[in-house]
């Protein structure tokens, strides 16, 4: 999948979240650099975006979900930060992030760095990919 297609998919998912929240979803998606035909694994970033919606606070104007994507021909840096929803009743953990981590190991061995910070108030993901 091209990076451009992945970005479009993320934008569509964000727009659907905004529609379902009737305009009460606060999400910033900032893009820097060259977004084009770079090839990446399909739907690589979406698990992180969906986790932010499922487990995070997205209706607080003071703490919007912040998604950043910086890209060049050779490298991609994707990050997402969301305020944690401490009122969430579903405390069971899924396998989404485990699957993403495993996919990264298989598809980008030695060419990725995934850092996840599960702080008291915020959840942050930083993913760096080396494409070449």
């Amino acid at each position: 999948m091209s990076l451009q297609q992945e970005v479009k998919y993320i934008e569509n998912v964000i727009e659907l979240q905004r529609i379902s929240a009737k305009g009460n979803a606060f999400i910033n998606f900032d893009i820097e650099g060259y977004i084009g035909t770079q090839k990446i694994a399909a739907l690589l970033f979406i698990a992180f975006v969906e986790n932010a919606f499922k487990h995070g606070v997205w209706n607080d104007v003071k703490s919007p979900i912040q998604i950043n994507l910086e890209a060049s021909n050779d490298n991609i840096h994707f990050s997402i930060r969301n305020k944690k929803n401490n009122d969430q009743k579903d405390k069971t953990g899924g396998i989404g992030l485990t699957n993403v981590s495993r996919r990264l190991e298989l598809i980008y061995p030695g060419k990725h760095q995934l850092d996840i910070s599960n702080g008291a108030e915020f959840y942050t993901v930083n993913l760096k990919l080396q494409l070449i």
Side-chain angles (χ1 to χ4, degrees):
M1 171 178 258
S2 75
L3 181 57
Q4 196 171 44
Q5 290 171 306
E6 183 84 358
V7 166
K8 187 65 178 162
Y9 187 76
I10 292 169
E11 289 171 339
N12 289 339
V13 169
I14 290 169
E15 189 57 30
L16 285 173
Q17 185 68 27
R18 286 189 173 125
I19 290 168
S20 71
K22 296 179 176 54
N24 199 25
F26 301 98
I27 306 140
N28 297 330
F29 185 21
D30 297 324
I31 301 170
E32 292 182 37
Y34 172 67
I35 306 297
T37 59
Q38 303 99 313
K39 296 293 182 199
I40 63 166
L43 307 175
L44 188 61
F45 306 131
I46 201 63
F48 302 119
V49 174
E50 289 175 345
N51 270 1
F53 293 146
K54 181 177 179 184
H55 301 291
V57 175
W58 40 262
N59 60 355
D60 182 354
V61 69
K62 294 179 184 174
S63 296
I65 292 175
Q66 182 63 49
I67 306 168
N68 296 310
L69 180 66
E70 299 173 38
S72 68
N73 285 329
D74 303 338
N75 298 290
I76 295 174
H77 180 204
F78 175 85
S79 65
I80 186 165
R81 180 177 185 261
N82 63 274
K83 186 175 182 181
K84 292 170 70 173
N85 184 352
N86 293 323
D87 297 331
Q88 184 177 347
K89 302 212 184 312
D90 179 13
K91 297 293 182 189
T92 60
I95 60 169
L97 294 183
T98 302
N99 283 345
V100 172
S101 184
R102 182 71 180 130
R103 279 183 76 203
L104 287 166
E105 289 294 331
L106 292 170
I107 300 168
Y108 299 99
K111 293 187 174 191
H112 76 279
Q113 179 182 343
L114 176 63
D115 296 312
I116 298 175
S117 172
N118 191 0
E121 191 173 355
F122 290 94
Y123 192 85
T124 306
V125 173
N126 279 295
L127 173 60
K128 294 179 182 177
L129 295 176
Q130 182 182 352
L131 301 177
I132 296 176

